[in-house]
Amino acid sequence: MNSRIYLSAPHMGGLEQKYINEAFESNWIAPLGPNVDAFEQELAEKVGSKGAAALSSGTSAIHLALKYIGVKKGDKVFCSSLTFSATCNPIVYEGGEPVFIDSDPDTWNMSVIALERAFSDAAKEGWMPKALIVVNLYGQSADMDPILELCRKHNIPVIEDAAESLGATYKGKNSGSLGDFGVYSFNGNKIITTSGGGMLISDNTQALDKVRFWATQSRDAARHYQHSEIGYNYRMSNILAGIGRGQLRVLDDRVKRRKEVNKTYKSELGSNEAIEFMPVASYGEPNFWLTAVTLKKGSNVTPYEIMDALAAENIESRPVWKPMHLQPVFTGCGYYMHKEDISADLFERGICLPSGSSLTEEEQCRVIDCIKRLF
Ligand SMILES: *Cc1c(COP(=O)(O)O)cnc(C)c1O
């Protein structure tokens, strides 16, 4: 049997062990500690935000950002539909209700015309969303300027779900740093990983202080254990932050390598008339987290046939996210489509190919040959 090829495997840089050892030597085997503080500072500096709060996951970062904004029972929140469920689950944790926004076919990210329609319908019906969560899909930034303009016009705070786009840029700025809050994930399959973890960034350092307070069980400043608010156990551990510090040092290399992987797929499969690549928008530079393709309508090979053929050769691949407005758990939530239902179409025709930075040339050849043989 050929060795397993993963969609996006963890790829350590070498320095992680040093920071973990420091934690062991000083016995900081705890949530909080010097690696956590340093990881927050180093990441904030890297992406150009005033501060960062290291948390146990990207999901918890979205949750506490929504809580800070004040989403409560019955509040509506606009949210990209084409994403992983972690983007919108926290809306429901706080009793809110997602209203999903479709993708633009040119970017696969939030459609500005669908968002405009959502705002104008809301205004006509006499309500406004409490917040907007915009996703930067597969490592490419959404078109933030018109989205921010619409939100500023209506005074709606923006959470940028940059879980997949750390290291990408939008008009020269770092993806994740454009909204009021930005969220990164260090889950095992992301561009850099701490095995599990997340970061909330913002220029509002007061908000980040409050988030850190909630994330450590809302302990009041008293000598005894006193709580005036409900808290969470959402902090990142000092060991995992050590892995994060090592990983951050190699982020630029990881982006570079994923871009090469994407380029190789394009040069090898780009001439196949049935295969189209996720478009790269001219306003920025993706981090190329995953290379995603769609099969043209009427192609005699389906995404599931490709996934099955790859699986038979011990190669992992995945369908494009099933949009949230099609998920059983979100039945009944509002949805604004582009001109037609773009995210549903991308789901039906899309597939994500192995894209890890540790993928070898030989392994990528195996993937490409397997796909070519199907046509
Ligand atoms: C991975 C991911 C998350 C969740 O991050 P976790 O750290 O796994 O909680 C949120 N949004 C998107 C778009 C993701 O890809």
Side-chain angles (χ1 to χ4, degrees), residues 206-221:
Q206 258 179 318
L208 295 176
D209 286 341
K210 187 78 193 193
V211 160
R212 287 190 199 91
F213 167 77
W214 284 327
T216 40
Q217 306 287 21
S218 299
R219 280 184 66 181
D220 291 343

Side-chain angles (χ1 to χ4, degrees), residues 57-59 62 83-84 86-87 135 161 163-164 185-187 190 197 321:
S57 65
T59 311
I62 296 170
T83 186
F84 181 47
T87 305
V135 174
D161 181 349
E164 301 174 2
S185 166
F186 309 110
N187 198 345
K190 297 301 198 296
W321 300 125

Side-chain angles (χ1 to χ4, degrees), residues 45-255:
E45 211 166 287
K46 175 91 190 162
V47 299
S49 90
K50 287 207 179 117
L55 300 168
S56 54
S57 65
T59 311
S60 56
I62 296 170
H63 183 190
L64 294 186
L66 287 166
K67 186 174 163 69
Y68 185 83
I69 288 166
V71 171
K72 294 204 173 59
K73 198 167 162 36
D75 285 340
K76 292 193 166 128
V77 174
F78 287 162
C79 180
S80 306
S81 187
L82 189 60
T83 186
F84 181 47
S85 65
T87 305
C88 52
N89 280 335
I91 300 169
V92 182
Y93 300 166
E94 290 300 306
E97 222 181 278
V99 174
F100 296 112
I101 312 291
D102 197 8
S103 295
D104 188 309
D106 292 338
T107 63
W108 294 21
N109 278 309
M110 189 178 277
S111 156
V112 175
I113 62 166
L115 181 63
E116 264 172 347
R117 217 175 320 113
F119 268 120
S120 99
D121 276 11
K124 271 185 244 155
E125 290 163 18
W127 59 274
M128 270 292 128
K130 192 82 188 195
L132 173 138
I133 308 177
V134 54
V135 174
N136 302 309
L137 197 74
Y138 297 139
Q140 168 157 275
S141 176
D143 192 1
M144 291 302 291
D145 276 352
I147 293 170
L148 288 171
E149 196 186 308
L150 276 169
C151 289
R152 300 240 157 91
K153 193 172 111 192
H154 294 99
N155 220 0
I156 305 302
V158 173
I159 301 171
E160 218 187 328
D161 181 349
E164 301 174 2
S165 66
L166 177 60
T169 59
Y170 176 78
K171 300 187 179 173
K173 290 184 186 149
N174 289 288
S175 182
S177 71
L178 290 109
D180 298 284
F181 291 96
V183 171
Y184 299 113
S185 166
F186 309 110
N187 198 345
N189 63 1
K190 297 301 198 296
I191 191 145
I192 61 170
T193 178
T194 61
S195 79
M199 194 76 84
L200 183 67
I201 63 157
S202 182
D203 285 338
N204 183 347
T205 51
Q206 258 179 318
L208 295 176
D209 286 341
K210 187 78 193 193
V211 160
R212 287 190 199 91
F213 167 77
W214 284 327
T216 40
Q217 306 287 21
S218 299
R219 280 184 66 181
D220 291 343
R223 285 183 68 183
H224 50 276
Y225 285 94
Q226 177 170 298
H227 308 274
S228 313
E229 288 186 67
I230 292 295
Y232 301 83
N233 183 3
Y234 272 180
R235 269 301 239 172
M236 182 182 280
S237 86
N238 194 50
I239 301 279
L240 299 190
I243 303 178
R245 292 181 73 191
Q247 286 274 280
L248 198 55
R249 301 277 284 270
V250 293
L251 173 62
D252 295 346
D253 295 336
R254 299 298 180 257
V255 173

Side-chain angles (χ1 to χ4, degrees), residues 321-337:
W321 300 125
K322 179 172 182 174
M324 292 303 116
H325 73 279
L326 297 179
Q327 298 288 351
V329 71
F330 295 116
T331 310
C333 292
Y335 176 55
Y336 283 88
M337 64 171 101

